[in-house]
Amino acid sequence: MDIKTLCLGLLCAGDASGYDLKKQFESTFKHFYPAGYGSIYPSLADLANRGLVTCREMPQDKKPDRKVYSITPSGREAFTAALQDVDPEHKVRSEYLVAMYFADFLEPQRLEQMLAVWRESLGDGVTRLKSLERDVGADAPAGTRFVLGFGKAIARAMAQYIEENGDMLTGPEREHESAGLAKTNNIETRL
Amino acid sequence: MDIKTLCLGLLCAGDASGYDLKKQFESTFKHFYPAGYGSIYPSLADLANRGLVTCREMPQDKKPDRKVYSITPSGREAFTAALQDVDPEHKVRSEYLVAMYFADFLEPQRLEQMLAVWRESLGDGVTRLKSLERDVGADAPAGTRFVLGFGKAIARAMAQYIEENGDMLTGPEREHESAGLAKTNNIETRL
DNA sequence: ATCCCCATGTAATTTGTTACATGATTGA
DNA sequence: TCAATCATGTAACAAATTACATGGGGAT
């Protein structure tokens, strides 16, 4: 699955411009499928080329023109097919966890700061998702409520884990910087 | 941060071959920074070119030769610098959540199956992390214990959320397939 | 027999990110 | 006056995935 497919799916719910879609990616999708203009605009152009969407230009006064895309029957079909076919994956790529894994190579203050920033951004995420939930309302589609609730629950779980276990990294009795230097550098001995 | 940097970091703890590193990526790093041979081998070649690691070939009988890489002082320096410099991010890309968001487009049985597979793979992940924790032991570096515990806690939180909220997607009163077809397809009306 | 483990790599392709390029309007 | 919102795109680049290519040994 790629961003093209996601755009197609969003257009199934109604016409939109690239700019509109970006807002969706920045709000609902941010925590599990973020995308920027650099992916969205080329996707729409390609989908239009393949006849999966159509585009009308809407001149506006006092504002740049909008290109509003609509899904076509074959586009809807393609999306449904793509969705049935996926072999879903849940992928994480976390530089925070990399940093924590290599905590011994970080200056204690830098480590502490990273943990603080992380906690804060998780808190911001929860706040953002809460207000989004409020905005979409209780009558929003089940899928929407499910993914927003998921994001909130997981962000909270992450914050809690950090809260409860952060001290195992920042604790006093840790060795700094050269950890591993004293140990053997020879794999045969390690294994 | 990229896989090159990760390889460098792992080599700080001791010499290893590409094959060895892959095993690390498949065990400890799987839940937050997975990588395959296609990324690892070219990374090592490049690091060797830049003098950040050295390589010795070790002929083995009855087995293919191994290329064992060792970090150099400048490699260690480069890694430390890279680690201080990162502006860490935690990124998720989940096709499961995409599927859940678009649940109305999925046949109920397919949806149910996806949820079941997801729950199962989360359970497997927890099991795997538990046995990894056992293997590395309580005297493993704090960073290792932190990231393994993190993975376990989050996988559990995800499984729990699905357990508790999956029925809002599979519930009986949901409309199927053509959801949104009846609704307007015009953005002006939607907004 | 067949599959998994050992062990290496390359090449093509896909995908996405970042930077560049433009420019008016609105609200603080 | 300054930042943000509206609105579009391209081009260069970075990065990683996938498929391809090889081949013996050991276990079931």
Side-chain angles (χ1 to χ4, degrees):
Chain A
M1 181 140 37
D2 52 18
I3 286 168
K4 279 195 235 299
T5 310
L6 265 286
C7 290
L8 217 46
L10 289 172
L11 290 173
C12 282
D15 298 355
S17 67
Y19 196 80
D20 295 329
L21 293 182
K22 175 67 169 10
K23 281 189 288 188
Q24 295 271 307
F25 279 105
E26 282 293 306
S27 56
T28 319
F29 288 73
K30 193 175 187 196
H31 62 289
F32 66 93
Y33 219 107
Y37 290 124
S39 323
I40 295 167
Y41 284 123
S43 289
L44 290 170
D46 183 62
L47 292 171
N49 273 338
R50 291 193 293 159
L52 303 176
V53 302
T54 57
C55 172
R56 319 119 309 133
E57 254 163 286
M58 314 214 85
Q60 299 184 116
D61 46 316
K62 316 260 190 182
K63 275 185 205 165
D65 293 0
R66 309 177 76 222
K67 286 193 176 181
V68 176
Y69 293 87
S70 312
I71 193 140
T72 63
S74 67
R76 196 176 286 269
E77 214 178 297
F79 174 67
T80 308
L83 197 62
Q84 309 297 320
D85 275 8
V86 272
D87 182 10
E89 281 190 277
H90 180 93
K91 283 184 198 163
V92 176
R93 172 145 299 180
S94 177
E95 287 157 353
Y96 279 111
L97 288 172
V98 171
M100 298 311 132
Y101 180 85
F102 291 112
D104 288 337
F105 291 84
L106 283 170
E107 290 168 54
Q109 56 179 45
R110 177 83 176 105
L111 176 63
E112 207 99 41
Q113 183 220 2
M114 271 191 197
L115 281 169
V117 171
W118 195 8
R119 261 197 309 258
E120 202 196 316
S121 70
L122 287 169
D124 291 349
V126 171
T127 305
R128 194 181 60 80
L129 288 168
K130 268 187 187 166
S131 72
L132 244 176
E133 272 181 333
R134 208 176 12 79
D135 293 348
V136 301
D139 53 331
T144 305
R145 283 178 288 122
F146 183 88
V147 299
L148 294 180
F150 185 96
K152 225 176 46 181
I154 302 315
R156 280 190 180 130
M158 291 197 280
Q160 198 192 332
Y161 182 83
I162 297 167
E163 209 83 9
E164 289 170 3
N165 299 281
D167 56 344
M168 73 195 250
L169 298 170
T170 54
E173 78 293 351
R174 64 179 272 265
E175 355 165 10
H176 173 51
E177 204 77 13
S178 51
L181 274 180
K183 298 177 192 163
T184 178
N185 209 33
N186 187 302
I187 194 167
E188 283 82 5
T189 320
R190 264 197 305 143
L191 294 179
Chain B
M1 184 140 36
D2 52 20
I3 286 167
K4 279 194 235 299
T5 311
L6 266 285
C7 291
L8 217 46
L10 290 172
L11 290 173
C12 282
D15 298 355
S17 67
Y19 195 82
D20 295 329
L21 293 181
K22 174 68 172 6
K23 281 189 286 189
Q24 294 271 307
F25 279 105
E26 282 294 307
S27 57
T28 320
F29 287 70
K30 193 176 185 195
H31 63 289
F32 67 94
Y33 219 108
Y37 291 124
S39 322
I40 295 166
Y41 284 123
S43 290
L44 290 171
D46 182 63
L47 292 171
N49 272 337
R50 291 193 292 159
L52 303 176
V53 301
T54 57
C55 172
R56 309 150 281 144
E57 253 162 287
M58 316 215 84
Q60 300 185 116
D61 47 317
K62 316 261 190 184
K63 275 185 204 166
D65 292 1
R66 306 179 79 223
K67 287 192 176 179
V68 176
Y69 294 87
S70 312
I71 194 138
T72 64
S74 67
R76 196 177 285 270
E77 212 177 298
F79 174 67
T80 309
L83 198 62
Q84 309 297 321
D85 275 8
V86 272
D87 180 12
E89 281 190 279
H90 181 92
K91 283 184 197 163
V92 177
R93 172 145 297 179
S94 177
E95 287 157 353
Y96 279 112
L97 287 171
V98 171
M100 298 311 133
Y101 180 86
F102 290 112
D104 289 337
F105 291 84
L106 284 171
E107 290 168 55
Q109 55 179 46
R110 177 81 176 106
L111 176 62
E112 207 99 39
Q113 183 221 0
M114 270 191 197
L115 281 169
V117 171
W118 195 8
R119 261 196 309 259
E120 203 195 316
S121 70
L122 287 168
D124 291 349
V126 171
T127 306
R128 194 181 59 81
L129 288 167
K130 268 188 189 167
S131 72
L132 244 176
E133 273 180 335
R134 206 177 11 80
D135 293 347
V136 300
D139 53 331
T144 304
R145 283 179 288 121
F146 183 88
V147 300
L148 294 181
F150 185 96
K152 224 175 47 181
I154 302 314
R156 279 189 180 132
M158 292 198 278
Q160 197 193 331
Y161 182 84
I162 296 166
E163 209 85 7
E164 287 170 5
N165 299 280
D167 55 345
M168 73 196 248
L169 298 170
T170 55
E173 77 294 348
R174 66 178 271 264
E175 359 167 3
H176 173 52
E177 204 74 13
S178 51
L181 273 179
K183 295 178 193 162
T184 178
N185 207 34
N186 185 302
I187 194 170
E188 284 81 6
T189 320
R190 264 198 304 144
L191 295 179

